[in-house]
Amino acid sequence: MSDAPESDAPAGDPPLADAPTSDAAAECSRAGCRDTAVWAIRWRNPRIHSADRRKIWVACDEHVAYLREFLTARDFPVEVAALAAESV
């Protein structure tokens, strides 16, 4: 990607799917956090993503509010839902 993330921005984007598909537990997308993710945060940047495209970040309980606010502060459409245990 050409845009460098801000220093407090989440580290990278998880796969573009409804939830991680590996057998390993999903790790929180917050930079520096290694806790198990229990929330899926679906979002898009309307300036570059079509209405049907969603990116997914995953979050632990501690960082779900931070990540949601990080995205909503940029006027990105955001949906937060529990990360299904069977898909982790």
Side-chain angles (χ1 to χ4, degrees):
M1 239 180 206
S2 61
D3 294 334
E6 296 175 14
S7 60
D8 64 345
D13 296 330
L16 295 176
D18 283 346
T21 57
S22 72
D23 290 336
E27 191 175 278
C28 182
S29 296
R30 175 70 165 105
C33 183
R34 301 291 176 248
D35 290 346
T36 300
V38 293
W39 297 99
I41 304 169
R42 293 170 182 86
W43 64 278
R44 72 180 179 92
N45 179 341
R47 291 179 301 244
I48 61 174
H49 299 136
S50 62
D52 63 337
R53 177 152 184 226
R54 294 288 185 271
K55 299 197 65 146
I56 309 292
W57 283 347
V58 293
C60 64
D61 282 329
E62 182 179 350
H63 293 119
V64 66
Y66 170 84
L67 293 171
R68 179 180 49 232
E69 290 174 19
F70 178 90
L71 295 164
T72 57
R74 287 149 180 82
D75 293 324
F76 294 167
V78 175
E79 299 170 10
V80 177
L83 190 60
E86 61 273 4
S87 64
V88 176

